[in-house]
């Protein structure tokens, strides 16, 4: 993810790496994942967790692993796998298995493929419902058994990621109850008791424990069903425990919420089924990763390492989806307004007006063994908050929300001016206050991600190029909002500041010999003359002149940067280039999505089509058409897909949102609430997308269904209005 990089030397204090040994299998076997609220489930293809060896599998809730082992056996052996898939809407895991050849008695053998074993699992917030159905397709009576093994290590997510703790709390032996329940319990060093409660229907033979067995007596054609309820509990034991039933009810409730979320956003279908598969998977992943909070829908970052609230991730995800799903942006803006820092707290890298970087709820965060309980160590979340606010109101005309969060917007601008600009030179810089905080605080926050052309690491305070673009856009957007609200004095001052920042960036960052901006300025204001994808984010905000924007795009699409699947974070040939690194040569889909939107802003459709074709092809090559958090930046080879990065999150919110950014860039869609119109500026459809249909494209209370069609003769795109509800005009501008 963007947050705590990997490949960390042991002598670098205060960085938080993901140990490769913790999740090498993620890139190899593509685990099955479900998420709901603050809970997520990571299983192998059999529906088991850690059945073979220690991995990052299990049931996690509030940054703690409440179930570390789950293993099913038939007659003591692992069944044979027939199929394993999560439903298209990410609500149900279904695993189909059968028996191997079994010697079930001295004189009796059960032939392979006689039994059908189906496992289905659905995940709610803090609860799992599993249904196991065993059917005898043989022609004789069957006597055997099925078993389930459980364990709960209550490991903090940072322990699973590879962190070592000097001490842990007390874990109790599992207790089986007279009601057929099984309880694992752990009292942490934070004096909080966490419990995993399991209920079975029917109960297993004997008292429930780690190993549980059910006899199978099945006539020909008969079947048996076992249902399991797993509940995560924190604090005092509940007065009443839930029953084991409820699989269908839980599933129905989840799907009802998914349908509500779907009704908020535009729906997309095309003439290309492969594109539909990518877009549908992206939509389902975003829905699964989105948690309903008191402030509205909010996208958690990714599974398994970052299933929690993040600042820049949520803001960038919302920006990429804004044209199709403004309600997500509304939830993100309201959520961060509530958690905006109000005081100086060096241990959390917090200062008044600063927007959250990360929020954790596990034991290690509560004890401050890691600084991320509520941590503010990102330099870009705060300007991105203002950028999202300004783009949201331009998309929706929802001035009621802007008035509600106006004090937060003003506070964010105050942080940018007073705390973010450390030396008063108009540039937004970072230098961590907490010794345990992140060394680098932009989206590329690995310890080695900011460096000079000779490979020497930049010394803080550091000014990143993309952060200056965000800051310039924040002041300019705030000026437009202030003017609309009647704050003319502030509008003039803030717009002038944006102009001054733009001029300062052009003077300090532009590298004529590289045809792009420097990656950053170090503490001595020396430019890091390195070709990077960071410079592409300036296209998103409109900071460079048209001529420089064209040159930046050419640099990004040169073979050193564009590997065929996407734009690398660092160009080949730079001193720290490594296509297998986290931030120094890999390809991140969201990074490319933002650059794509920037290319469209400048009308660079030729470069844009090449870029989007690479990302589209990468999605087609990915398992389940699910773009990962990142992949390696090796050059594209015929007949091969992108090389996986071992510990990339699957799924990841801003990677899923890339599909929306890609489509938004193709269409050039914009909204004018003041005259109730939706405009498509120089839309294009690539050769692999002949026709596109968008339904429920909303502007206020109005909505429209449209169809866009590519004409082979000249590549032009025509638009047909299929349905209109309310007052809205739709137009193509070429």
């Amino acid at each position: 993810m963007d947050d705590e990089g990997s490949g960390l030397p042991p002598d670098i204090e205060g960085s938080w790496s993901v140990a490769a040994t913790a999740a090498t299998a993620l890139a190899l076997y593509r685990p099955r994942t479900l998420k709901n609220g603050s809970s997520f489930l990571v299983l192998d293809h059999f529906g088991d967790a850690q059945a073979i060896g220690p991995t990052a599998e299990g049931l996690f809730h509030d940054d703690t692993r409440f179930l570390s082992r789950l293993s099913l056996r038939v007659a003591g052996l692992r069944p044979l796998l027939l199929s394993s898939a999560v439903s298209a809407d990410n609500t149900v895991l279904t695993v189909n298995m059968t028996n191997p050849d079994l010697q079930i008695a001295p004189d009796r053998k059960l032939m392979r493929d006689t039994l059908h074993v189906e496992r289905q699992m659905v995940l709610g917030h803090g609860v799992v419902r599993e249904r196991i159905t065993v059917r005898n397709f043989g022609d004789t009576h069957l006597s055997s058994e099925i078993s389930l093994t459980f364990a709960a290590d209550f490991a903090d997510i940072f322990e699973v990621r590879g962190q070592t703790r000097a001490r842990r709390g007390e874990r109790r032996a599992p207790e089986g109850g007279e009601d057929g329940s099984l309880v694992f319990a752990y009292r942490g060093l934070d004096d909080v008791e966490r419990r995993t409660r399991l209920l079975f229907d029917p109960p297993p033979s004997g008292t429930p424990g780690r190993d549980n067995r059910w006899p199978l007596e099945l006539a020909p054609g008969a079947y048996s069903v076992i249902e399991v309820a797993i509940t995560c509990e924190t604090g005092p034991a509940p007065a009443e425990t839930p029953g084991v039933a409820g699989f269908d009810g839980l599933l129905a409730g989840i799907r009802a919420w998914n349908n509500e979320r779907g009704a908020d956003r535009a729906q997309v279908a095309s003439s290309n089924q492969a594109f539909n598969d990518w877009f549908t998977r992206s939509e389902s992943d975003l829905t699964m990763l989105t948690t309903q909070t008191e402030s509205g829908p909010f996208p958690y970052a990714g599974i398994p390492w970052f299933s929690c609230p993040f600042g820049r991730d949520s803001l960038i995800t919302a920006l990429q989806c804004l044209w199709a799903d403004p309600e997500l942006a509304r939830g993100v803006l309201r959520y961060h307004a509530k958690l905006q820092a109000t005081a100086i707290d060096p241990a959390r890298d917090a200062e008044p007006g600063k927007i959250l970087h990360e929020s954790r709820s596990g034991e290690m965060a509560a004890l401050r063994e890691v600084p991320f309980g509520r941590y503010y160590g990102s330099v870009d979340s705060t300007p991105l908050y203002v950028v999202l606010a300004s783009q949201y109101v331009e998309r929706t005309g929802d001035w009621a929300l802007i008035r509600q969060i106006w004090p937060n917007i003003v506070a964010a601008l105050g942080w940018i001016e007073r705390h973010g600009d450390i030396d008063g030179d108009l540039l937004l810089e970072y230098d961590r206050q907490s010794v345990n905080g992140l060394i680098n605080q932009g989206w590329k926050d690995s310890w080695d991600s900011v460096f000079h052309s000779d490979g020497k690491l930049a010394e803080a305070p550091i000014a990143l190029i993309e952060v200056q673009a965000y800051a310039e856009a924040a002041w300019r957007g705030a000026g437009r909002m202030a003017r609309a609200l009647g704050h003319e004095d502030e509008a003039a001052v803030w717009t002038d500041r944006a102009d001054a920042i733009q001029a300062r960036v052009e003077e300090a960052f532009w590298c004529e010999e590289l045809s792009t901006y420097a990656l950053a300025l170090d503490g001595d204001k020396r430019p890091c003359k390195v070709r990077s994808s960071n410079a592409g984010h300036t296209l998103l905000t409109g900071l460079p002149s048209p001529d420089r924007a064209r040159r930046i795009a050419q640099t990004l699409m040169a073979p050193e940067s564009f590997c065929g699947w996407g734009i690398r974070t660092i160009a080949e040939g730079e001193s720290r280039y490594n296509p297998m690194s986290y931030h120094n040569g890999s390809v991140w889909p969201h990074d490319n999505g933002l650059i794509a939107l920037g290319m469209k802003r400048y009308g660079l459709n030729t470069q844009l089509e090449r870029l989007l074709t690479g990302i589209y092809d990468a999605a087609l090559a990915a398992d389940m058409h699910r773009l990962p958090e990142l992949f390696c930046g090796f050059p594209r080879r015929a007949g091969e897909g992108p090389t996986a990065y071992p510990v990339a999150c699957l799924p990841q919110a801003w990677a899923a949102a890339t599909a929306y950014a890609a489509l938004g860039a193709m269409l050039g869609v914009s909204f004018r609430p003041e005259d109730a119109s939706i405009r498509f500026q120089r839309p294009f459809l690539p050769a692999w997308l002949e026709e596109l249909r968008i339904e429920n494209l909303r502007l206020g209370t109005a909505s429209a269904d449209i169809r866009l069609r590519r004409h082979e003769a000249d590549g032009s795109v025509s638009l047909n209005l299929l349905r209109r509800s309310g007052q809205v005009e739709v137009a193509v501008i070429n």
Side-chain angles (χ1 to χ4, degrees):
M1 214 200 80
D2 65 309
D3 312 283
E4 295 101 42
S6 59
L8 176 68
D11 59 337
I12 299 293
E13 181 185 21
S15 285
W16 301 91
S17 64
V18 177
T21 54
T24 301
L26 291 179
L28 300 178
Y29 70 84
R30 301 293 192 249
R32 301 309 186 221
T33 56
L34 297 172
K35 176 198 167 288
N36 190 299
S38 297
S39 307
F40 67 92
L41 189 62
V42 180
L43 302 170
D44 66 19
H45 289 201
F46 292 79
D48 288 339
Q50 295 198 130
I52 303 302
T55 63
E57 296 166 345
L59 169 62
F60 296 79
H61 178 70
D62 284 342
D63 287 326
T64 300
R65 182 158 60 184
F66 276 74
L67 199 68
S68 53
R69 187 173 184 198
L70 169 59
S71 175
L72 181 147
R73 297 291 184 266
V74 175
L77 297 176
R78 196 175 212 195
L80 303 176
L81 184 65
L82 299 176
S83 68
S84 173
V86 175
S87 59
D89 61 0
N90 281 331
T91 58
V92 183
L93 168 63
T94 300
V95 180
N96 288 286
M97 299 175 286
T98 189
N99 62 286
D101 290 328
L102 294 173
Q103 194 74 39
I104 58 176
D107 58 344
R108 292 187 60 197
K109 189 174 185 179
L110 182 66
M111 299 299 294
R112 172 179 170 157
D113 302 333
T114 301
L115 287 177
H116 175 226
V117 182
E118 181 186 69
R119 303 182 76 174
Q120 287 192 301
M121 295 186 195
V122 60
L123 174 69
H125 181 66
V127 62
V128 176
R129 294 288 189 265
E130 178 175 11
R131 179 179 289 162
I132 303 168
T133 305
V134 185
R135 187 182 297 271
N136 180 11
F137 282 95
D139 57 5
T140 61
H141 187 278
L142 168 69
S143 295
S144 187
E145 73 170 18
I146 188 169
S147 63
L148 289 170
T149 300
F150 303 97
D153 63 1
F154 297 98
D156 189 283
I157 188 65
F158 285 90
E159 291 182 276
V160 181
R161 282 172 49 172
Q163 300 296 318
T164 301
R165 300 181 66 189
R167 293 191 307 127
R168 296 194 83 242
E170 179 185 359
R171 189 164 42 153
R172 296 205 311 257
E175 298 178 359
E178 294 181 0
D179 59 352
S181 64
L182 173 64
V183 177
F184 296 88
Y186 167 77
R187 181 167 292 277
L189 299 178
D190 57 355
D191 202 32
V192 174
E193 183 170 276
R194 296 168 174 87
R195 293 174 305 281
T196 307
R197 186 180 303 275
L198 299 98
L199 292 170
F200 310 98
D201 183 19
S205 300
T207 302
R210 295 182 186 275
D211 299 301
N212 304 273
R213 292 176 170 79
W214 288 260
L216 288 176
E217 297 290 340
L218 297 176
Y223 68 92
S224 179
V225 177
I226 300 170
E227 296 209 354
V228 183
I230 308 169
T231 306
C232 306
E233 300 174 357
T234 302
E240 295 183 7
T241 57
V244 69
F247 182 98
D248 295 324
L250 180 60
L251 178 58
I254 295 169
R255 284 183 165 160
W257 186 83
N258 288 355
N259 290 337
E260 289 178 12
R261 273 269 59 225
D264 288 335
R265 70 168 73 94
Q267 301 298 309
V268 174
S270 78
S271 56
N272 182 335
Q273 187 56 48
F275 175 84
N276 294 344
D277 291 343
W278 173 35
F279 206 91
T280 299
R281 173 54 55 192
S282 299
E283 179 184 38
S284 296
D285 284 350
L286 275 172
T287 299
M288 180 175 70
L289 289 167
T290 297
T291 295
Q292 186 65 28
T293 72
E294 293 180 356
S295 302
F298 187 94
Y300 280 17
I303 299 172
W305 309 121
F306 306 113
S307 187
C308 63
F310 275 86
R312 75 167 65 90
D313 294 67
S314 60
L315 293 160
I316 287 176
T317 297
L319 278 168
Q320 292 187 100
C321 299
L322 184 57
W323 70 268
D325 189 6
E327 188 63 24
L328 187 66
R330 177 182 172 86
V332 168
L333 289 168
R334 295 180 69 218
Y335 183 92
H336 285 304
K338 286 188 175 183
L339 295 184
Q340 188 174 32
T342 57
I344 293 176
D345 184 353
R348 298 181 186 273
D349 275 331
E351 292 150 337
K354 205 171 185 184
I355 296 297
L356 182 75
H357 169 71
E358 176 179 0
S359 179
R360 295 285 187 172
S361 55
E363 179 187 0
M364 291 178 69
L367 295 169
R368 295 207 176 188
E369 294 178 24
V370 296
F372 306 116
R374 187 176 292 180
Y375 180 62
Y376 292 86
S378 63
V379 70
D380 47 4
S381 295
T382 308
L384 281 169
Y385 182 82
V386 183
V387 171
L388 179 61
S390 65
Q391 292 197 15
Y392 169 80
V393 75
E394 290 169 8
R395 161 68 176 87
T396 64
D398 183 5
W399 287 101
L401 176 64
I402 298 304
R403 289 186 178 93
Q404 178 187 339
I405 64 172
W406 188 248
N408 305 99
I409 293 171
V410 173
L413 295 171
W415 178 83
I416 294 172
E417 182 176 10
R418 289 188 289 275
H419 298 282
D421 183 2
I422 296 173
D423 53 9
D425 67 345
L426 296 176
L427 300 179
L428 192 51
E429 302 118 345
Y430 65 85
D431 186 2
R432 65 176 179 172
Q433 303 301 307
S434 169
V435 68
N436 293 318
L438 297 174
I439 294 174
N440 285 315
Q441 298 190 355
W443 85 260
K444 296 178 182 176
D445 55 9
S446 297
W447 65 276
D448 61 345
S449 62
V450 186
F451 56 95
H452 289 279
S453 59
D454 61 0
K456 182 180 178 181
L457 297 181
E459 296 288 338
I462 293 171
L464 294 165
I465 178 57
E466 78 275 16
V467 176
Q468 313 318 311
Y470 303 157
E472 185 262 348
W475 288 109
R476 200 172 299 283
R480 292 193 299 270
M481 289 188 288
R483 186 164 288 110
L485 292 173
H487 306 307
E488 293 293 342
D489 292 343
E490 289 90 341
V493 171
W494 294 348
T495 301
D496 288 346
R497 188 176 181 90
D499 291 340
I501 291 172
Q502 185 174 29
R504 179 82 174 92
V505 170
E506 294 293 354
E507 173 192 12
F509 282 84
W510 182 255
C511 300
E512 182 66 24
E513 67 276 24
L514 299 180
S515 283
T516 190
Y517 293 113
L519 166 62
L521 303 184
D522 68 9
D524 294 325
K525 304 300 178 184
R526 294 186 303 127
C528 297
K529 296 185 176 182
V530 174
R531 292 164 298 169
S532 70
S533 65
N534 303 58
H537 292 213
T538 64
L539 306 179
L540 174 72
T541 66
L543 185 144
S545 66
D547 178 63
R548 286 190 172 177
R550 178 185 53 80
R551 293 177 64 183
I552 292 168
Q554 289 174 342
T555 300
L556 291 170
M557 296 305 295
E560 293 82 4
S561 287
F562 182 68
C563 72
W565 302 111
I567 295 169
R568 299 181 177 107
T569 47
I570 295 295
E572 184 177 10
E574 299 295 350
S575 57
R576 286 186 176 268
Y577 167 75
N578 178 353
M580 298 176 290
S581 73
Y582 200 52
H583 287 133
N584 290 339
S586 55
V587 175
W588 289 63
H590 87 278
D591 189 26
N592 284 257
L594 296 180
I595 293 171
L597 289 169
M599 288 180 173
K600 184 63 178 184
R601 181 176 188 136
Y602 286 90
L604 302 172
N605 279 358
T606 300
Q607 296 93 328
L608 177 59
E609 184 167 3
R610 281 185 63 211
L611 174 59
L612 295 184
T613 297
I615 290 295
Y616 165 71
D617 289 345
L620 296 195
D623 181 56
M624 301 170 64
H625 299 311
R626 171 181 280 164
L627 282 173
E629 176 188 17
L630 72 156
F631 50 85
C632 294
F634 291 108
R636 183 171 180 172
R637 294 179 180 175
E640 299 180 14
T643 302
Y645 186 83
V647 295
C649 285
L650 292 165
Q652 181 88 354
W654 61 9
T658 301
Y660 286 87
L663 190 52
M666 289 180 207
L667 302 180
V669 59
S670 63
F671 301 81
R672 294 174 62 90
E674 63 274 16
D675 57 16
S677 67
I678 303 173
R679 298 183 176 185
F680 293 84
Q681 184 81 29
R682 292 184 61 197
F684 81 91
L685 295 176
W688 39 269
L689 203 58
E690 180 181 348
E691 185 175 304
L692 186 73
R693 183 183 178 113
I694 303 175
E695 297 181 353
N696 194 36
L697 187 58
R698 302 170 70 178
L699 180 57
T701 58
S703 66
D705 297 347
I706 61 171
R707 181 175 61 214
L708 297 108
R709 183 172 293 166
R710 182 179 187 273
H711 300 283
E712 192 65 35
D714 58 1
S716 64
V717 173
S718 62
L719 183 148
N720 297 103
L721 181 62
L722 305 178
R723 181 194 64 85
R724 175 167 48 199
S725 175
Q727 183 180 353
V728 62
E729 298 296 328
V730 183
V732 171
I733 301 175
N734 290 311

